[in-house]
Amino acid sequence: MELGAFSISLAVKDISASKQFYEKLGFREFTGNADEKWLIMKNGGHVIGLFEGMFEKNILTFNPGWDQEASPLDFFQDVREIQRELKAKNVEFDSEADENTTGPASFMISDPDGNTILVDQHI
């Protein structure tokens, strides 16, 4: 199973304070809009998303179809195919991708400790 690029999406209280903190750890702004309360930051191959007021807890995020630079891959496993594999393994879903569509879609699952995992395909 190929899940694509990995990042952690952090639910932050103050995007400006969080940005300044992660810059001290060597992260730089990659994309996003602080005025809209979201930023994606990178340090080498490590990617974190800062999201103020968008969700309640941190989320592990995978992006099928992207490499760690958010560049499209020529070949990748579609999010719906990944979803079908996980269903066959009796994984329970918090939300599902519509199997009757193509292109961008996502699903969410939770691990045994309640950590949310988002598989979010943008292409």
Side-chain angles (χ1 to χ4, degrees):
M1 182 175 306
E2 291 294 324
L3 297 173
F6 173 76
S7 63
I8 186 154
S9 300
L10 301 174
V12 302
K13 295 177 185 170
D14 180 332
I15 195 144
S16 178
S18 294
K19 178 181 185 270
Q20 290 174 19
F21 174 81
Y22 283 101
E23 285 174 337
K24 291 175 185 175
L25 295 177
F27 283 84
R28 63 174 172 74
E29 189 173 329
F30 180 63
T31 191
N33 186 329
D35 292 335
E36 293 177 2
K37 307 290 186 188
W38 72 279
L39 288 173
I40 307 301
M41 301 187 74
K42 291 192 68 174
N43 178 336
H46 307 293
V47 181
I48 57 171
L50 307 176
F51 298 90
E52 183 181 327
M54 293 187 182
F55 43 82
E56 293 181 25
K57 58 185 178 177
N58 300 333
I59 301 173
L60 297 138
T61 304
F62 296 94
N63 300 111
W66 277 2
D67 65 16
Q68 283 302 109
E69 297 295 321
S71 296
L73 298 171
D74 291 332
F75 301 99
F76 63 94
Q77 188 173 14
D78 187 83
V79 67
R80 293 153 201 85
E81 184 181 334
I82 296 168
Q83 179 174 282
R84 284 189 293 275
E85 277 189 48
L86 293 173
K87 282 184 175 183
K89 295 176 181 177
N90 297 315
V91 172
E92 293 185 29
F93 286 76
D94 299 329
S95 68
E96 295 184 25
D98 184 344
E99 297 270 346
N100 298 312
T101 62
T102 60
S106 64
F107 66 78
M108 294 177 82
I109 58 177
S110 295
D111 75 10
D113 295 301
N115 298 303
T116 301
I117 299 167
L118 170 65
V119 180
D120 190 16
Q121 180 176 308
H122 294 277
I123 58 176

